[in-house]
Structure formats: C-alpha cells, structure tokens
Amino acid sequence: MKSFTYERARTPAEAAAAVARTPGAKFLAGGTNLLDLMKLEVETPTYLVDVQDLALDRIENTGEGGLRIGALVSNTALSADMRVRRDYGVLARAIQAGASGQLRNKATTAGNLLQRTRCPYFYDTAMPCNKRAPGSGCAAIGGYSRQLAVIGSSDTCIATYPGDMAQAMRVLDATVETVNARGATRAIPIADFHRLPGDKPERDNVLAHGELITAVTLPPPIGGTHLYRKVRDRASYAFALVSVAAVLQRDGTGRVCFGGVAHKPWRVEAAEAVLPKGARAAAAIAFADARPTEAARFKLSLATRTLAAVIAEGKAG
Ligand SMILES: Cc1cc2nc3c(=O)[nH]c(=O)nc-3n(C[C@H](O)[C@H](O)[C@H](O)COP(=O)(O)OP(=O)(O)OC[C@H]3O[C@@H](n4cnc5c(N)ncnc54)[C@H](O)[C@@H]3O)c2cc1C
Ligand code: SF4
C-alpha cells in the first residue's frame, strides 16, 4: 500500500474543504471498498479524510412524509429500521441481499452508492483499464466479460455498477444530498447520480472532487408489493449477475430497476408502462439498445426471466 496522510474531520464543511484543496485526497467512510482498493494499489489516495465522526448517522422523518437517511447510516441500521421495513421494503431487501453481516455493519449509505466496479481487470494493475488508468485501453473488450454490461456501455468501458442498494433507491426515486467546500448544497435525483461510461469511464458518478454526500432522501411511501431478486453464481457473498428491484401494484403496474446489466442502475420508465403485459414486453423495451458481448448475452434472457419471477412473486404475495 502506498503511504498516505490521515485526518478525522469534525464537520461536513471541514471534510469537504480538506478533500477539495488536496488533489488525490478522498473521503473515508466504512472503508470496506476503499481500503481493499488501496491495498491492491488500484486506488492510491495521498490523503484520507475520515468522515466517521460527522453526525450523519440518523434516519429522520421529513416534513413531506418521507425519510432522510444520513450518509453514515450503516447498511445494517438502514435495513433494520422499522419505517424502512414497513414502507420501503424493497430497500431493506436489496441491502440484505448484499455482502455479509459484518460488512453491512461497517458499510455506509454513501459508501455503498459509491462502491466501484468489480470488473476483474479494474483490480488487476498489470492489465489495461480505462477506468483505473484513463487512456490505457480496456482489457475486458475482447477479454473475459461474462459478468459485465449488456447495455449503456461504450467503446472505452463495459463495466457494471456492482451494488444492490442503488437499484432500490432508484425505484424509490431517492435524492442524493451533498455539500461542497464552499458550503453549497446540491440535491441530485438518483436517476442522474450514476453515469454511463461514455468517453470518461473513470467517472462513476456526477460528484465533483471534494463534494461530500450528507444524506439520501426518500419521498413518501408509494405502497405496493416490494421485491428484490438477485441472481448470482453462488448463493451468498457474491455480486449480482442480474438483479431486479420492484414495487408492484395490484393492477399490474409498477416500477422496476435492473442491476448487474449496466454502468448504473437500469430503470426505463417506458418499459414500466407495459409491465401489465408481462416481463417479455417490458424487457424488450428496457433492453432494446442492448450491445452485449457474446459471453454476457445470457444476461438478456436471465433479466427477462428474473423479472418474470418477480412479477409472479408479486401476484402471489
Ligand atoms: C467481500 C465483499 C463483498 C461485497 N458484496 C456486496 C454485495 O453483494 N452487494 C453490495 O451492494 N455491495 C457489496 N460489497 C460492497 C460493500 O457494500 C461496499 O464496500 C460498502 O457499501 C462501501 O461502503 P463504505 O462505507 O465501506 O465505503 P468506503 O469504502 O469508505 O468508501 C467508498 C467510496 O465512497 C467514498 N465516500 C464514502 N463516503 C462518502 C461521502 N459521504 N461522500 C462522498 N464520498 C464518500 C469514498 O471516498 C470511496 O471512494 C461487498 C464488499 C466486499 C468487501
Ligand atoms: S470494462 Fe471498464 S473497468 Fe473493466 S477493464 Fe474495461 S475500462 Fe476497465
């Protein structure tokens, strides 16, 4: 691991200012992703600003009838919260499908949204990777790509966003709140938060350097049956090949978001409009522009079948 300096910030503004003024600085939350990447020298920050002492670990009711989740609320606390379990079940289920109990105790809401891809070449510093080393090339294109993207990819990167929670946040229309070094705040709809790779695959999201996530806000509950189904190579402790987060209503309408298929949670509202016609019709629209590699093509039928299983579960429940 490369050497680095370390500081514990006392306020959000202080944390944002400390990172903003130092090129190569990063925030440190639970450390479950960043420290792994540092040990492998995939990420080599020169300065870590630890945000764990900031008072951002509360879940509060909002005046509009929703919830405001502090950036440092752990995955365990969020999925155990009675309001989340009652009104936002898709979120509790998606979090519980991820990682392990120990990791969820440390992992934070903000850190989870910002976890980096699990493309094997991103982790292998001997291989070209535009996301890790911009301009070096993409070893996955023409390489091992079975678990990578089928849609929204570019000629520079075909990686997927690996997390579970973000798909639930996307069907719930969450908003990410931030503060920067000047104290200016931003509210970013989750739909606009994660990026497609385009010609800048090194940028996973729209945050500026030194912009700190302070909270994620959920709008009032929308009712319905909340489901999360994750298909993976082994039954636990693995990332999704395909996942589906869904909130389904009795009349067959609903919201769905696919994970494991793109560089961001993949929700297509036009596909939701035909959900009452069934999974095949909805998936045909959601994946109309798919460009899978041969190795990842199976994900298209897997996504359709996973959605069909979710719809069947919704009708049964
Ligand atoms: C073995 C293993 C299995 C896993 N399996 C799954 C899984 O199945 N599903 C899943 O979803 N996840 C899985 N994970 C990933 C895990 O959920 C993430 O590592 C975790 O959520 C990251 O949160 P953290 O608080 O530890 O983030 P950190 O590692 O501390 O930070 C991650 C990134 O977020 C930035 N950051 C942190 N907080 C802020 C903030 N407030 N504002 C701005 N930037 C910030 C950091 O600078 C860093 O770039 C797994 C991890 C491991 C190690
Ligand atoms: S797919 Fe993206 S993350 Fe993977 S090697 Fe190519 S550029 Fe790197």
Side-chain angles (χ1 to χ4, degrees):
M1 190 190 278
K2 302 256 193 225
S3 59
F4 58 90
T5 51
Y6 171 89
E7 177 184 331
R8 287 180 95 103
R10 285 165 302 179
T11 66
E14 186 183 291
V19 170
R21 68 171 167 260
T22 318
K26 294 213 77 160
F27 300 113
L28 175 68
T32 60
N33 190 215
L34 182 55
L35 294 184
D36 279 359
L37 293 168
M38 288 171 65
K39 286 179 203 161
L40 294 166
E41 298 190 0
V42 173
E43 295 217 36
T44 53
T46 51
Y47 178 34
L48 288 187
V49 177
D50 193 329
V51 296
Q52 287 184 85
D53 294 340
L54 306 183
L56 299 174
D57 57 354
R58 283 188 288 274
I59 306 173
E60 297 162 325
N61 298 327
T62 65
E64 293 75 41
L67 284 184
R68 186 166 187 275
I69 303 157
L72 290 171
V73 172
S74 73
N75 285 181
T76 298
L78 184 56
S79 65
D81 185 276
M82 285 316 292
R83 293 161 293 184
V84 172
R85 294 173 76 88
R86 185 187 61 219
D87 297 329
Y88 305 98
V90 63
L91 182 57
R93 286 174 178 230
I95 293 170
Q96 289 287 335
S100 66
Q102 283 168 317
L103 282 161
R104 294 194 297 269
N105 288 344
K106 284 299 286 177
T108 63
T109 302
N112 191 296
L113 286 178
L114 295 171
Q115 63 180 283
R116 307 216 65 193
T117 187
R118 294 282 161 170
C119 171
Y121 302 106
F122 177 69
Y123 278 80
D124 184 347
T125 53
M127 300 299 285
C129 169
N130 288 322
K131 187 180 277 298
R132 175 173 30 78
S136 62
C138 172
I141 297 175
Y144 181 76
S145 61
R146 178 176 174 275
Q147 70 271 59
L148 300 185
V150 294
I151 195 159
S153 54
S154 72
D155 293 341
T156 63
C157 181
I158 58 172
T160 53
Y161 171 78
D164 291 292
M165 186 188 76
Q167 276 69 244
M169 293 292 195
R170 182 70 177 89
V171 288
L172 294 170
D173 282 336
T175 300
V176 180
E177 295 178 11
T178 70
V179 65
N180 71 11
R182 295 185 310 282
T185 57
R186 264 215 292 176
I188 308 166
I190 190 82
D192 303 329
F193 183 76
H194 294 102
R195 293 181 70 254
L196 291 178
D199 59 1
K200 287 197 171 34
E202 68 276 17
R203 294 200 59 201
D204 296 342
N205 54 64
V206 299
L207 291 182
H209 180 65
E211 192 171 5
L212 176 80
I213 297 179
T214 50
V216 179
T217 305
L218 300 179
I222 54 170
T225 303
H226 289 227
L227 299 161
Y228 187 75
R229 185 172 281 244
K230 176 176 179 179
V231 183
R232 45 193 154 175
D233 278 330
R234 54 170 193 248
S236 73
Y237 218 42
F239 290 88
L241 288 169
V242 163
S243 69
V244 174
V247 177
L248 302 176
Q249 306 295 343
R250 278 179 180 278
D251 61 3
T253 61
R255 301 179 187 178
V256 292
C257 180
F258 295 90
V261 295
H263 200 258
K264 61 188 288 185
W266 195 252
R267 178 177 172 199
V268 178
E269 278 81 350
E272 292 173 355
V274 301
L275 260 187
K277 293 185 183 167
R280 206 173 277 277
I285 294 176
F287 295 104
D289 297 326
R291 269 199 332 163
T293 63
E294 264 322 296
R297 185 174 294 280
F298 74 99
K299 285 192 176 188
L300 294 174
S301 55
L302 185 59
T304 309
R305 293 202 311 276
T306 308
L307 179 58
V310 164
I311 292 172
E313 193 179 340
K315 283 182 180 153

